[in-house]
Amino acid sequence: MRVVAKLAPGAVQYTVWCDDAGKVLDDGTLFHWPDGTFLLCCQERHLPWLLDAAQGFDVAVADVTTEIAALSLQGPCTASVLREMGCDVDTLKPYRMIETTFEDAKLAISRTGFTGDLGYELWIDPAHAVTLWDRLMTAGAPWGIRPVGTEALDLARFEAGFIVANIDFVPAEQALREDRVRSPFELGLDWLIDWDKGHFNGRRALLAERDGKTSDWQLVGLDIDSNVSAEGSLIYHRGRTEVGFVTSAAWSPVTKRSVALAQVRRGARQDDLRVEVYARRELQYARLMLQARVVDRPFYATPRRRATPPRAF
């Protein structure tokens, strides 16, 4: 729904795409490689839908998942680690990419990532992936570099306010129930819609939703009075009327708060929200009705994420 033609070579944009009913299929990042080709990165598999959507257009679509090794390097020390490797990233701005070489192979570095901190993503031929990994681990040793798993990544993306398919929304292609799908308006992604670009999938439905103000849901951030996670909890107004549910939640180590992403019915009162949490207390579960407040996202975003050049850390 964004204007791809405006994306310059070496630039990256966050985007979302919908079905004909204006319901979100997925979100992801679109890379415009210096050679003029595009790379779309997303969580779910959409090749069949992309091939169908490409019919009648002068475009070729291919799945290159196995042809590119991608590595996410995130955190305050990442620029220092890349400099130690001899990579000049001082002029690289957020959502931009450069190409360099590594072991006679082409290495692309983009200033992107799934966290609220400074970070980069590295793209290389799989044949050189292990060597690149080893070099990074050696270069990053003075800064305490270490690999992390999906739980740590999920916490970092959550603190940054990023949403994930099949956690914070159900992709329209996969939903079994009609009331489970969401539009960009209901996920807070309507800012990605360029109404002047011409036709795109779901345009008529989204125009009707915008003009008629017919959205049923809205995605909000919550600050919860607790030290326990509220993931999967129901939300009530004044503890009586159910108005929504939590999709992602955690005790945030960085902000020292219990925070959550939640879907709340559009138009529901938000002045006195309570989250129903079942917390284990000495082998038994206690039902807690915790006070919650709607707050802005992201929950965590440090200025160094956008500082150019990144300072040494």
Side-chain angles (χ1 to χ4, degrees), residues 31-186:
F31 296 75
H32 190 174
W33 294 97
D35 64 5
T37 59
F38 292 85
L39 177 70
L40 179 63
C41 294
C42 55
Q43 177 171 297
E44 303 299 310
R45 186 177 185 271
H46 295 286
L47 181 61
W49 183 87
L50 289 168
L51 290 172
D52 289 343
Q55 293 187 32
F57 294 93
D58 183 18
V59 62
V61 180
D63 185 351
V64 295
T65 302
T66 61
E67 299 174 22
I68 303 176
L71 186 146
S72 181
L73 182 67
Q74 303 290 305
C77 305
T78 49
S80 298
V81 174
L82 290 174
R83 292 186 188 110
E84 181 70 16
M85 286 183 56
C87 300
D88 183 6
V89 294
D90 283 355
T91 60
L92 185 58
K93 297 180 180 180
Y95 287 92
R96 293 295 185 271
M97 61 188 300
I98 57 173
E99 285 190 339
T100 183
T101 57
F102 174 79
E103 298 288 326
D104 298 324
K106 184 184 296 184
L107 170 65
I109 303 174
S110 60
R111 191 166 169 181
T112 52
F114 213 35
T115 72
D117 211 321
L118 174 66
Y120 302 86
E121 291 176 309
L122 284 63
W123 314 82
I124 199 168
D125 186 292
H128 300 269
V130 175
T131 305
L132 176 61
W133 173 279
D134 291 342
R135 184 72 63 83
L136 279 168
M137 297 303 288
T138 300
W143 290 275
I145 190 172
R146 61 178 177 177
V148 300
T150 54
E151 288 189 10
L153 176 61
D154 189 57
L155 177 59
R157 72 89 191 166
F158 166 72
E159 289 179 328
F162 296 139
I163 61 175
V164 177
N166 283 311
I167 294 180
D168 299 299
F169 70 95
V170 180
E173 281 186 320
Q174 301 177 22
L176 300 178
R177 299 170 177 82
E178 291 184 1
D179 64 340
R180 297 302 193 265
V181 293
R182 298 289 183 264
S183 74
F185 291 100
E186 294 172 318

